[in-house]
Amino acid sequence: MRIEFWGAAQEVTGACFLLECGGYKVLVDCGMIQGRRRDELRNREPFPFDPATIDAVVLTHAHIDHSGRLPLLVKAGFRGKILTHRASRDLCEILLRDAAHLAAQDAELDNRKRARKGLPPVEPLFTTADVERTLQHLRALEYGERRQILPGIAIRLRDAGHILGSAIVEVWLSEGGLTRKLVFSGDLGHRGTPMLRDPELIDAADLVILESTYGDREHRSWESTWAEMAEIFTETRAGRGNILIPAFAVGRTQELLYSFHRHFDQWGLGRWQIFLDSPMAIQATQVYRRHDDLFDREASAMLARGEDPLKLPNLHLTPEPEDSMALNRIRAGAIIIAGSGMCEGGRIRHHFKHNIWREETQVLIVGFQAEGTLGRRLVDGARRIRLWGETMKVRAKIHTIGGLSAHAGQQGLFDWYANFDGRPPVCLVHGEPTAMETLARRLQDELTAEVLQPRLGAVLDLSQPLRKLTLQYPGERH
Ligand code: ZN
């Protein structure tokens, strides 16, 4: 009985954990490695295990850094079931199909350069056909139902409050009369996130695998975030310019629509025309609606009153490219929500081209912007940006709204762990080294927790007493 760490070990993306029990193998998540090009190339490397020998996968949520290598797993011979929440299954259809589309674009771009260098072409990481085959393996679960997935292996999903369908996974492993309970936090939501329920608290575990993305940071309070948004919308004169909001299609967009619905009068949103300019975000919003029984108490109360919490009287959907292009002619009074979230691609770049050089434009940055992205350059105050080979002056006002995060801050992570009885040992994952180190110190100092920070390839023998644990690195020579 053991766990092996094959992803999100001392880094944020590429989640992948292998459990072995009674001769069966189960993966928890199989995510894409994202970030710098040299990191992303690692997605092309073979898996460190034989995918054909994996009996099942449990998927915490649909985000690509948790689900994105599933098509590669299937391509490499995996034949089992992929168990996930029903909303995650629906979101995976959108996100994995989009990932195949991006992979095709990447390969095409690469191949144009390679051809000029006389190099042979590369294949896309995976194709739409690989994704369609992968989707056939998905099986939908509900929160709270304990399911025996293999002899000696049972799981239960609990609401993680991170995006719709996101789950904390409880796993029971039984072998030779010994049972161990592991709890994977997955990505843990930020308490108070609009529309979603707060992460569920769990009391019992023999080992906790905890994300640590914001292990060294705290978010701004929701009150001050709403106050900031209110100020921008009420003080910007709709008659002058447009407001552009780059946003991720799944999660952030729906939270924004919901916040707009909730604060519609207070923020004076009736003076604007609001455009959701992203086919993917439009589809994701439909998935949110289809699973509205998962909404939190406030949003459920709206539903009970007959209100659609994702509807606005002046919201226009523009899935077709021509509708999107028509927005270029609007000089004032439009709020445009478009992807991509970090401005690296998608329609937001076209809206920048038509608006960013105008001083009456406002840009609202509502999500995390990674190093090296266009979004990050804007946040850092770039005076000029380049789009399609053309240099543009940034005269628009850039606002950064820091509080809208889909991840728990340090205190949220701390409190969630502190709720476990008996302080089980905890492995920190999904974090940069400083974030993990900071959280580890707090958990050790204030809760006397036993904290491990596994590196890639680490193995824990779970049949040993789970105190004073040591990570093994069988792949490394000494
Ligand atoms: Zn996530």
Side-chain angles (χ1 to χ4, degrees):
M1 198 193 284
R2 59 199 239 148
I3 175 171
E4 300 179 8
F5 296 83
W6 289 118
Q10 312 243 347
E11 60 185 331
V12 178
T13 66
C16 186
F17 311 103
L18 175 62
L19 301 174
E20 277 190 54
C21 175
Y24 294 97
K25 290 183 189 170
V26 174
L27 278 190
V28 176
D29 287 344
C30 192
M32 186 101 81
I33 301 158
Q34 296 175 308
R36 287 165 303 204
R37 192 167 170 76
R38 131 170 86 90
D39 295 322
E40 295 194 351
L41 281 173
R42 285 160 48 208
N43 291 308
R44 291 191 175 266
E45 291 169 12
F47 286 99
F49 43 80
D50 178 3
T53 65
I54 303 294
D55 297 287
V57 178
V58 184
L59 178 65
T60 60
H61 65 290
H63 274 153
I64 289 299
D65 59 325
H66 293 255
S67 67
R69 275 191 290 169
L70 287 170
L72 296 170
L73 195 75
V74 171
K75 212 163 120 175
F78 170 71
R79 291 293 169 263
K81 290 177 186 152
I82 302 168
L83 301 134
T84 196
H85 190 271
R86 62 180 147 93
S88 297
R89 178 200 55 193
D90 291 359
L91 291 175
C92 271
E93 287 186 5
I94 301 174
L95 285 163
L96 289 176
R97 283 176 184 152
D98 180 65
H101 179 71
L102 293 176
Q105 271 181 356
D106 274 359
E108 202 187 305
L109 198 74
D110 260 10
N111 286 339
R112 254 185 268 153
K113 288 184 197 159
R114 291 174 70 89
R116 288 196 286 269
K117 288 186 193 152
L119 294 169
V122 289
E123 295 281 308
L125 189 58
F126 52 77
T127 63
T128 305
D130 295 322
V131 167
E132 296 309 318
R133 258 193 303 281
T134 304
L135 296 174
Q136 304 294 315
H137 291 253
L138 290 171
R139 296 292 179 277
L141 301 182
E142 294 290 330
Y143 292 133
E145 63 172 319
R146 185 178 152 138
R147 179 81 72 101
Q148 191 77 37
I149 60 167
L150 289 161
I153 305 179
I155 62 164
R156 180 164 63 193
L157 306 183
R158 310 288 292 269
D159 197 337
H162 166 66
I163 57 168
L164 196 76
S166 63
I168 298 159
V169 182
E170 298 174 285
V171 185
W172 289 266
L173 303 174
S174 305
E175 186 185 286
L178 180 72
T179 296
R180 297 283 192 213
K181 185 186 170 195
L182 276 56
V183 177
F184 291 84
S185 71
D187 281 354
L188 216 50
H190 179 192
R191 280 176 297 199
T193 294
M195 209 169 33
L196 298 182
R197 294 180 193 152
D198 290 344
E200 282 189 71
L201 296 174
I202 296 166
D203 318 316
D206 296 308
L207 180 70
V208 176
I209 294 89
L210 176 63
E211 71 122 318
S212 52
T213 315
Y214 285 93
D216 57 347
R217 268 164 295 168
E218 216 39 82
H219 303 306
R220 207 176 240 205
S221 74
W222 287 108
E223 295 79 61
S224 70
T225 300
W226 302 134
E228 218 180 327
M229 302 268 280
E231 200 181 306
I232 295 164
F233 289 113
T234 51
E235 293 197 351
T236 306
R237 299 223 320 267
R240 290 197 62 212
N242 296 324
I243 298 183
L244 308 180
I245 312 180
F248 291 103
V250 176
R252 191 53 38 82
T253 293
Q254 291 73 35
E255 287 158 25
L256 274 174
L257 293 178
Y258 177 79
S259 313
F260 285 179
H261 178 99
R262 191 167 64 164
H263 302 277
F264 194 80
D265 294 325
Q266 203 190 342
W267 295 355
L269 291 168
R271 300 175 296 137
W272 299 84
Q273 293 302 314
I274 303 171
F275 297 91
L276 183 52
D277 188 30
S278 154
M280 199 172 150
I282 294 168
Q283 284 177 37
T285 305
Q286 285 163 352
V287 173
Y288 268 65
R289 275 211 182 90
R290 203 181 308 150
H291 300 280
D292 61 11
D293 57 311
L294 302 172
F295 290 1
D296 69 2
R297 203 184 306 166
E298 187 189 61
S300 302
M302 289 180 190
L303 289 168
R305 288 198 298 269
E307 267 173 64
D308 177 347
L310 291 166
K311 197 172 169 182
L312 305 164
N314 50 353
L315 177 66
H316 310 276
L317 309 180
T318 52
E320 301 303 326
E322 18 326 349
D323 301 333
S324 175
M325 283 188 264
L327 302 182
N328 298 339
R329 292 195 292 273
I330 305 178
R331 312 311 288 162
I335 296 177
I336 302 171
I337 305 171
S340 72
M342 299 193 198
C343 318
E344 282 297 274
R347 294 181 178 178
I348 195 71
R349 292 166 79 92
H350 293 273
H351 300 305
F352 281 169
K353 181 177 169 187
H354 291 271
N355 291 282
I356 205 143
W357 46 271
R358 303 172 61 214
E359 61 181 11
E360 53 277 18
T361 301
Q362 317 272 331
V363 177
L364 244 70
I365 302 283
V366 294
F368 176 73
Q369 305 295 319
E371 204 86 53
T373 60
L374 176 59
R376 179 61 166 267
R377 286 201 291 285
L378 291 174
V379 167
D380 290 344
R383 307 290 300 274
R384 284 183 179 75
I385 58 168
R386 276 180 79 77
L387 289 170
W388 298 286
E390 196 181 328
T391 301
M392 280 172 225
K393 195 163 170 64
V394 179
R395 286 209 194 87
K397 192 149 189 246
I398 314 289
H399 306 271
T400 309
I401 313 283
L404 286 169
S405 175
H407 285 267
Q410 189 197 62
Q411 193 61 40
L413 295 168
F414 181 93
D415 291 345
W416 186 79
Y417 172 77
N419 189 69
F420 281 97
D421 292 332
R423 308 272 181 265
V426 53
C427 295
L428 297 184
V429 293
H430 304 289
E432 299 289 350
T434 36
M436 281 200 314
E437 193 49 52
T438 312
L439 181 64
R441 226 173 305 127
R442 250 200 99 187
L443 296 175
Q444 281 157 349
D445 295 351
E446 294 175 43
L447 299 172
T448 60
E450 188 178 333
V451 185
L452 299 167
Q453 299 177 47
R455 281 184 285 119
L456 203 67
V459 176
L460 263 183
D461 181 351
L462 301 171
S463 54
Q464 301 297 316
L466 293 186
R467 289 291 161 191
K468 303 227 181 317
L469 286 166
T470 39
L471 293 160
Q472 313 284 325
Y473 291 91
E476 291 175 14
R477 263 181 256 148
H478 295 283

